Structure formats: C-alpha cells, structure tokens
Amino acid sequence: MNIATPPARINCSEEEWRIRCDLAALYRLVAHHRMTDFIYTHISARVPGPEHHFLINKYGVLFHEMRASDLVKIDLNGNVVEDEPESKPVNAAGFTIHSALHMAREDAFCVVHTHTAAGIAVSAQKHGLLPISQHALKFYGHLAYHGYEGIALDLDERERLVADIGSHKAMILRNHGLLVTGRTIPEAFNMIYYLERACQAQVAALAGGAELVLPPEEVRLKTAAQFNGSTPEENEAKLAHFEWSWPTALRLIEGDKIDWRT
C-alpha cells in the first residue's frame, strides 16, 4: 500500500499523509506495549507549514484502532483546521500540554504523554527516577520534572511546562505521568519506550525491598553520554538509528485487523 498517497476523502498533502500514517502507527505501538489509559492521554506531531499546525487523536478513538484519517489537525489556539470540525473533538488537556511544546520547541516535532501505572508510580516518588538500570541511565542528567497543578485545562500552565522541561526531551509530570518529545516520530517512540521501561524496572526493584545497587557517578555520566551523544555527528547517527529500527517496530502491528494507514 502506498502510504504517500492520501485517500480522496482526506484533504492533505502527501507529506502530511506520511506523518499521519506514522503517527497512527505510534498510537498502535503505544497500545501494543500497554501504555494506554482507555481513550485518555495523547500523542501529537507537527505538520509542514509556517502555521505550526499539529495532529492529535480524535477524542474517543481507542489507541489500538487509530487510523491516519482519525487524527485531527488543530492550530495553536485549539481550533480544528479541517473539514467538518464538529465531528472531530479533541481532548482539551491534550491541547494544553502539546501546544505548549509545539509552540516553544522547534525540535519537538512529536510529543507523547502517557498515564501508565509505572510512570504514575515513579512520578509520585519523591526521589524521582533512580539511576538503577541501564534504561534509566539513558535519562540521567537529561530528565525534567513538573509539579502537579490539576487537570491541564488552564492555558497559563503552558509557560510553566515549557520552563520546566527546558532543553530536555523527557519530563516526569508529578502525580500524573510521563512526557517525551522527539525530533521525529521514531525518536519519540524510542524515548517513551525506554522511559516507561525504566519506570517499570524501578517499581519492581523497590517492591523487592532489598538494598539497591547504584552505579558510581562516573559510570552514570558515561552511560548517559553513550545514549545521548555529544556532537552533531553523534546526534545524526542516533536519528539514523531510530529511523532504521522503525520498520522493525511496525512489524509488531502489521497483523492488525484494521490497517492504520487508512
């Protein structure tokens, strides 16, 4: 199936259709890895153009059944900017969180927010994410925190979200869940997958009740640098790796009864 050709019922460019297909696939992958919260939480991606419009889920569609045509294009004021807007509601809290990052960060092409049991548990722990696993060390020195302010319906919270995340790509929302950004959709998938796995490992380790072993500081810093890179060449290599592994991830959902590329 040629994913670069949008169906006649969807009025968008071929480039936007490719983004829609990848974003719908990311929703399916989040469902596959059990990171959903019924119809709540959200994933967004920016579409081409100077307006900074972005795509987000149509409210009420389950993540495992998301299709490219189910995604809703909205502007930075929360207005639906496509045909029949009344038939495509969006989550108000999702708009607040995602518009904040799409407005402020050019590199935040894709934004993922989850409410998993492990993510919420770690968000409620005063010490936050501990450097006790290789997965967690990916985020060592590269993780922000944002205090809970209630359901994200107040637009003035956007300024504090942006201030708290700073230049990081990942943030723990206290008493709430996880948030990551990616320069591409494959990078965003990698970020949320490993942050979630790090939280799962921490919850399991703490549940055991035994004394934890923490790597020495120099090992923590070395591992974080290995994961994140420190030069433009290393950063480009990381992006290339995410693109290379993306088709592998897509094979996990190839057998879905309803194709996400529709």
Side-chain angles (χ1 to χ4, degrees), residues 105 139 142-145 164-173 178-181 191-192 195:
R105 293 272 299 272
F139 301 95
H142 297 271
L143 183 65
Y145 292 84
D164 286 340
I165 197 169
S167 60
H168 295 309
K169 295 178 183 177
M171 183 160 67
I172 290 179
L173 305 176
L178 307 178
L179 180 72
V180 304
T181 72
M191 294 291 288
I192 195 61
L195 185 55

Side-chain angles (χ1 to χ4, degrees), residues 117-133 174 197-214:
I120 295 170
V122 172
S123 79
Q125 294 171 349
K126 190 172 184 179
H127 46 59
L129 187 66
L130 295 170
I132 60 173
S133 67
R174 290 290 191 185
R197 294 285 285 172
C199 290
Q200 290 174 356
Q202 178 166 316
V203 171
L206 292 175
E211 184 177 358
L212 300 178
V213 175
L214 275 68

Side-chain angles (χ1 to χ4, degrees), residues 1 21 31 55 149 187:
M1 181 177 181
C21 290
L55 298 166
E149 300 186 22
E187 181 180 38

Side-chain angles (χ1 to χ4, degrees), residues 191-257:
M191 294 291 288
I192 195 61
Y193 178 85
Y194 282 102
L195 185 55
E196 169 64 18
R197 294 285 285 172
C199 290
Q200 290 174 356
Q202 178 166 316
V203 171
L206 292 175
E211 184 177 358
L212 300 178
V213 175
L214 275 68
E217 177 69 6
E218 60 270 21
V219 174
R220 301 179 200 179
L221 295 172
K222 174 185 176 181
T223 309
Q226 289 173 322
F227 270 118
N228 294 284
S230 56
T231 67
E233 292 77 16
E234 289 173 335
N235 285 327
E236 288 302 314
K238 294 293 181 185
L239 277 180
H241 175 77
F242 302 144
E243 293 293 332
W244 170 81
S245 63
W246 182 241
T248 307
L250 294 182
R251 290 205 298 272
L252 294 170
I253 57 173
E254 279 291 352
D256 286 1
K257 188 173 182 180

